Amino acid sequence: MAQPLVWMLDDEWDDHSQEERYFSQIGWRFLVSTSRTMKEDYRLEGRQADALIQQVGFRLPASLFEGMPNLKIVCVPGVGYDHVHVESATRRGIWVSNIPDYCTDEVADHTVAALMYFHRDLRGMDEDVRKGIWDPLRYVKNRRTSETMVGLVGFGRIGRRVAAKLAALGFRVAAFDRMVGDGMFREMGVTRLPLEMLMEKCDYVSLHLPATPETEGMLDAELLGKMPSHGVLINTSRGSVVDEAALVALLVRGKIRGAALDVFQVEPLPADHVLRRLPNVLLSPHAAYVTRESIDELKQKVCREVTLAVEGRRPVYALNRSEGPR
């Protein structure tokens, strides 16, 4: 029997020693391709792959599956999977899975850290001290956490973890999510609000939405325009869920206090993008998920998902409909 081949498409990470070690130990082959080498690698070996690990940067045509007769799984090493044709894979008898829970704490921590940066006006304090201004009472406008409402748009795994961390700090928390039942809101002591009301009433709005056709541009000019002038938008989910041009317009005109953005419509953020020049924006390079532990956990779980599928078992995080591929 031929050794199974695991083919990874990755332009993001340079170090795949953990995966190489894992598959070597079980006697499987492991091939890594970048966008530069993918076509040639596909021609030489890739079409014989038993498993495909597909990073976000690779948006492959659904027809690719037809040329890979041995393929049993497409595993996304991350949470978002909008770059994979799940229905097409399912029709071809191919599992699709992601790793939805490897960085829950990391993204929640990043969200809370960004919020506290604005809540305590750390930038302003730092700049004052550097300029020789020593006037604590300039910050008397700051509010107690107990007097501050945070609205979460999306109340899934990460949104709920953010809510728990914020509640521990004393914030009042509200959320919007059509897919989550009232019981979860009651259990966590979170106020359920319609989206429009949440945008109007909350001092901070934090986004925790997947990238889907339904969520694309969901935070449009009309909704963003409902935020109070002291409001801050935090996005650690996906850049596509926000009308970026509308957000920039509000920030430039001072219609909202600021924004903390880890994700963008185009990544990396272009060098000439106006967001890079705005002092009321906190930027990070789509890094909310990153810690040493989260990456280690991610790689372990990807290897496990691949092994299960190639050995004829159901992956733990299968995204195909409940009965699995036909």
Side-chain angles (χ1 to χ4, degrees):
M1 181 179 177
Q3 291 178 308
L5 172 62
V6 179
W7 186 26
M8 184 170 196
L9 305 177
D10 188 6
D11 276 330
E12 184 173 357
W13 298 334
D14 296 324
D15 182 7
H16 298 100
S17 57
Q18 184 171 333
E19 299 96 325
E20 289 169 352
R21 196 163 48 244
Y22 174 92
F23 292 118
S24 174
Q25 288 172 351
I26 63 175
W28 292 12
R29 294 182 295 151
F30 181 62
L31 171 67
V32 179
S33 297
T34 65
S35 54
R36 181 176 54 82
T37 64
M38 183 189 71
K39 288 184 179 179
E40 181 65 10
D41 288 342
Y42 174 70
R43 186 183 69 81
L44 293 175
E45 291 189 85
R47 67 181 65 222
Q48 297 306 314
D50 298 86
L52 180 65
I53 302 173
Q54 184 180 343
Q55 276 281 18
V56 171
F58 289 82
R59 293 185 176 271
L60 305 178
S63 59
L64 181 79
F65 300 140
E66 299 174 7
M68 302 179 71
N70 298 337
L71 192 61
K72 301 172 183 66
I73 182 172
V74 178
C75 185
V76 176
V79 179
Y81 57 91
D82 54 302
H83 60 300
V84 178
H85 297 267
V86 178
E87 292 183 4
S88 298
T90 301
R91 286 196 297 269
R92 299 290 303 176
I94 300 165
W95 290 109
V96 179
S97 69
N98 66 339
I99 313 296
D101 59 355
Y102 77 99
C103 61
T104 303
D105 268 314
E106 282 78 5
V107 178
D109 287 345
H110 193 99
T111 300
V112 174
L115 191 155
M116 291 302 296
Y117 169 90
F118 280 97
H119 189 65
R120 295 300 303 165
D121 199 356
L122 296 181
R123 178 178 183 137
M125 292 182 183
D126 179 79
E127 288 181 347
D128 274 2
V129 173
R130 292 175 188 277
K131 294 174 182 176
I133 299 171
W134 197 273
D135 184 4
L137 294 182
R138 280 164 61 89
Y139 299 94
V140 73
K141 63 183 182 299
N142 289 349
R143 304 296 302 278
R144 286 180 174 172
T145 60
S146 60
E147 300 301 316
T148 305
M149 177 75 83
V150 181
L152 308 177
V153 182
F155 200 48
R157 182 181 286 106
I158 293 174
R160 293 195 293 270
R161 190 65 60 87
V162 171
K165 292 175 184 286
L166 290 173
L169 292 171
F171 286 98
R172 297 153 53 210
V173 184
F176 165 82
D177 196 316
R178 295 190 184 95
M179 306 303 292
V180 178
D182 290 339
M184 181 60 69
F185 284 80
R186 288 194 297 269
E187 178 182 330
M188 297 198 65
V190 171
T191 302
R192 182 170 213 148
L193 290 179
L195 182 54
E196 293 79 4
M197 187 178 295
L198 181 148
M199 299 297 291
E200 292 172 353
K201 291 186 173 296
C202 291
D203 304 287
Y204 298 90
V205 174
S206 184
L207 309 182
H208 303 284
L209 298 166
T212 67
E214 292 73 30
T215 63
E216 184 172 356
M218 182 174 168
L219 276 292
D220 58 15
E222 182 178 357
L223 274 175
L224 292 170
K226 294 181 181 295
M227 293 180 66
S229 60
H230 66 274
V232 173
L233 183 78
I234 302 168
N235 189 7
T236 56
S237 58
R238 286 292 183 267
S240 63
V241 305
V242 176
D243 182 335
E244 201 168 88
L247 175 61
V248 166
L250 290 175
L251 291 164
V252 168
R253 291 156 49 205
K255 295 296 185 180
I256 61 173
R257 180 183 173 196
L261 305 174
D262 185 55
V263 289
F264 309 90
Q265 289 183 346
V266 176
E267 297 180 2
L269 188 66
D272 60 349
H273 201 291
V274 64
L275 284 170
R276 289 177 178 262
R277 303 191 298 274
L278 296 181
N280 55 345
V281 180
L282 179 65
L283 304 173
S284 54
H286 201 151
Y289 68 95
V290 176
T291 60
R292 181 183 305 173
E293 293 80 7
S294 70
I295 299 304
D296 183 62
E297 180 181 346
L298 174 64
K299 294 188 174 197
Q300 289 179 21
K301 289 184 172 180
V302 166
C303 291
R304 180 191 63 190
E305 291 290 280
V306 165
T307 304
L308 288 172
V310 173
E311 291 181 346
R313 291 178 285 169
R314 181 186 180 90
V316 174
Y317 301 113
L319 294 165
N320 311 77
R321 56 181 179 272
S322 58
E323 66 268 24
R326 291 182 290 190

